[in-house]
Amino acid sequence: MMRHFDKTSIMEAESFFRRDFINCLSGYKSLNLIGTKSKSGQTNLSPFSQVFHIGATPPTVGILFRPHTVQRHTLENILETGVFTLNHVTQDFFKEAHQTAARYESSEFDAVGIEEEYLLEFYAPFVKPSPVKLGCRLIEHITLQVNDTVLVIGEIEHVWVDEKGLRKDGSLDLNALGTVTVSGLDEYHIGQKLARLSYPKPGKHLEEI
Amino acid sequence: MMRHFDKTSIMEAESFFRRDFINCLSGYKSLNLIGTKSKSGQTNLSPFSQVFHIGATPPTVGILFRPHTVQRHTLENILETGVFTLNHVTQDFFKEAHQTAARYESSEFDAVGIEEEYLLEFYAPFVKPSPVKLGCRLIEHITLQVNDTVLVIGEIEHVWVDEKGLRKDGSLDLNALGTVTVSGLDEYHIGQKLARLSYPKPGKHLEEI
């Protein structure tokens, strides 16, 4: 049985219901820990489910920052220093990753017990146990009129990836890497592959590749 | 063992490698079929992995449209008519959903055999077998300077959800709904729940909820 909600019934629902409901509607989301460091040297680590591909040439990612949330520390550090890291989360530390969203005064790395790591000369901290780590540099940020959400666009300067999950064609085997996905605000899942499908053309039968 | 790529080695890699590699870096992505109809009445259906939550009050979603792709039909219809639908994809029809990305002259609904459905007075077509269907209205679109990607922001006017996946608190059980997630360009997965975690606070032990 399908349940119907229109805009009026959504707006009249309890705020906790609306928040959970709307957050779940897009489906499974990517999960990354963003590592930053303020100019004064304070590190910060925060979970984000709003990281997405913008383009491959040059390699760019986008992140949406909600207004008035604890995540603003991360945004301030990015605007101040111009750099940040993105780190996949695995089954081994997804609870610690969730806990980094708490409002700590000190560094979340220390507070939750996730080890930080510095690679080459990159200023922002990486997450040591992460199987996919990106070093990114801010190139543009845009404030959306609709609700003051900020879209940050970063160029990917460095990638470290565990070779057990890197295929010859450049794609990543996220199942092998143990990457975790999130739904809504607080529910974590691993992926279970159904199939990889050939390039779709009219009149051509799809094959599993 | 970790493999390192810097910007130079990414830019010097074969274009197919770079495309697959960068597309996979954000992790698991949401998968939705977007349904539209041109003013002249031609329907269109296309898979998108760049749909994300923007805000709950009012309920809004964002979609990123890559420049110069087949998906531009969808964008043209949205700009022309102001409405579109978002529809979750399940294990039962993810291959047909993938096939809608082929360059058809006619409607993808007919071409791949996905049944369309009209609900209330909404102009754009929904996907009949989908367990989560959203009717959305365009409120803003922004072209990103970095690579002419277009960000479309829509207000959610209607939601239909299969009640087997709707929890009392408003969250959706995506495992129960059978919602599919995508990695990279062509790899499909279902989710397998690890845990749902309590609200994180400093000094408070996380509980599974």
Side-chain angles (χ1 to χ4, degrees):
Chain A
M1 274 292 292
M2 298 296 277
R3 282 277 303 277
H4 175 235
F5 298 84
D6 63 13
K7 197 184 151 193
T8 305
S9 60
I10 293 169
M11 292 302 285
E12 285 174 353
E14 299 277 0
S15 65
F16 76 86
F17 182 98
R18 181 168 58 249
R19 191 195 56 202
D20 280 0
F21 185 59
I22 303 298
N23 250 294
C24 286
L25 292 178
S26 59
Y28 291 101
K29 301 182 289 184
S30 65
L31 176 64
N32 284 273
L33 282 168
I34 302 188
T36 57
K37 188 162 72 171
S38 70
K39 266 191 176 164
S40 64
Q42 167 87 44
T43 60
N44 190 277
L45 190 66
S46 191
F48 278 78
S49 61
Q50 310 272 66
V51 173
F52 39 85
H53 176 71
I54 290 205
T57 312
T60 39
V61 289
I63 312 168
L64 273 183
F65 288 84
R66 305 295 316 286
H68 315 305
T69 74
V70 293
Q71 299 167 348
R72 300 292 278 201
H73 251 160
T74 299
L75 179 57
E76 285 160 16
N77 288 347
I78 293 173
L79 297 179
E80 189 177 280
T81 66
V83 289
F84 60 95
T85 72
L86 293 172
N87 307 271
H88 281 209
V89 174
T90 71
Q91 190 163 357
D92 292 337
F93 63 100
F94 77 98
K95 291 184 181 176
E96 290 84 352
H98 183 75
Q99 185 66 23
T100 64
R103 294 171 182 271
Y104 290 107
E105 297 293 324
S106 59
S107 169
E108 289 82 7
F109 282 101
D110 301 332
V112 310
I114 290 179
E115 194 176 349
E116 67 185 32
E117 182 181 37
Y118 290 92
L119 295 169
L120 297 178
E121 302 296 311
F122 207 75
Y123 183 74
F126 293 88
V127 169
K128 184 150 189 185
S130 177
V132 179
K133 313 174 199 200
L134 278 63
C136 302
R137 185 169 301 278
L138 173 69
I139 51 176
E140 188 178 350
H141 72 284
I142 300 166
T143 301
L144 306 186
Q145 287 171 19
V146 63
N147 66 351
D148 291 335
T149 295
V150 176
L151 172 62
V152 163
I153 299 170
E155 187 160 37
I156 300 169
E157 293 196 338
H158 295 282
V159 180
W160 282 268
V161 55
D162 190 327
E163 61 186 13
K164 76 180 176 194
L166 178 63
R167 300 195 187 104
K168 285 197 173 129
D169 64 3
S171 69
L172 300 188
D173 182 339
L174 297 186
N175 292 185
L177 291 167
T179 296
V180 164
T181 167
V182 62
S183 60
L185 294 161
D186 48 23
E187 190 168 340
Y188 298 88
H189 314 259
I190 50 171
Q192 195 180 325
K193 180 176 172 176
L194 294 169
R196 204 174 163 201
L197 300 176
S198 57
Y199 188 81
K201 289 183 179 174
K204 191 167 164 245
H205 189 70
L206 283 177
E207 289 171 15
E208 298 199 14
I209 56 174
Chain B
M1 275 291 291
M2 299 295 278
R3 283 276 303 276
H4 175 235
F5 298 84
D6 63 12
K7 197 184 151 192
T8 305
S9 60
I10 293 169
M11 291 304 285
E12 285 174 352
E14 299 276 2
S15 66
F16 76 86
F17 182 97
R18 181 168 56 249
R19 190 195 56 203
D20 280 359
F21 185 59
I22 303 300
N23 250 294
C24 285
L25 291 178
S26 59
Y28 291 102
K29 301 182 289 183
S30 65
L31 176 64
N32 284 273
L33 282 167
I34 301 188
T36 57
K37 188 162 72 170
S38 70
K39 266 191 176 164
S40 66
Q42 167 87 42
T43 60
N44 190 278
L45 190 66
S46 191
F48 279 77
S49 60
Q50 311 272 66
V51 173
F52 39 85
H53 175 71
I54 290 204
T57 311
T60 38
V61 289
I63 312 167
L64 273 183
F65 289 83
R66 306 295 316 286
H68 316 305
T69 73
V70 291
Q71 299 167 348
R72 300 291 280 201
H73 251 159
T74 299
L75 179 57
E76 286 160 16
N77 288 347
I78 292 173
L79 297 179
E80 190 177 279
T81 66
V83 288
F84 59 95
T85 72
L86 293 171
N87 307 270
H88 282 209
V89 174
T90 70
Q91 189 164 356
D92 291 338
F93 63 101
F94 77 98
K95 291 183 181 178
E96 290 82 354
H98 183 75
Q99 186 65 25
T100 63
R103 294 172 181 272
Y104 290 107
E105 298 293 323
S106 59
S107 169
E108 289 82 7
F109 283 102
D110 301 333
V112 309
I114 290 179
E115 194 176 348
E116 67 185 32
E117 182 181 37
Y118 290 92
L119 295 170
L120 299 178
E121 302 296 311
F122 207 76
Y123 183 73
F126 293 88
V127 169
K128 184 151 191 187
S130 178
V132 179
K133 313 174 198 197
L134 279 63
C136 303
R137 186 168 301 277
L138 173 69
I139 51 176
E140 188 179 352
H141 71 285
I142 300 166
T143 302
L144 307 186
Q145 287 171 18
V146 62
N147 66 351
D148 292 334
T149 295
V150 176
L151 172 62
V152 163
I153 299 170
E155 187 160 37
I156 300 169
E157 293 196 337
H158 294 283
V159 180
W160 282 267
V161 55
D162 190 328
E163 61 186 10
K164 76 179 175 194
L166 178 63
R167 300 195 188 104
K168 285 198 172 130
D169 65 3
S171 69
L172 300 187
D173 183 340
L174 297 186
N175 292 184
L177 291 167
T179 296
V180 165
T181 168
V182 63
S183 60
L185 295 160
D186 48 23
E187 190 167 339
Y188 298 88
H189 314 260
I190 50 172
Q192 195 180 324
K193 180 176 172 176
L194 293 170
R196 203 173 164 202
L197 300 177
S198 56
Y199 189 81
K201 289 184 179 173
K204 191 166 165 247
H205 189 70
L206 283 176
E207 288 171 15
E208 297 199 15
I209 56 174

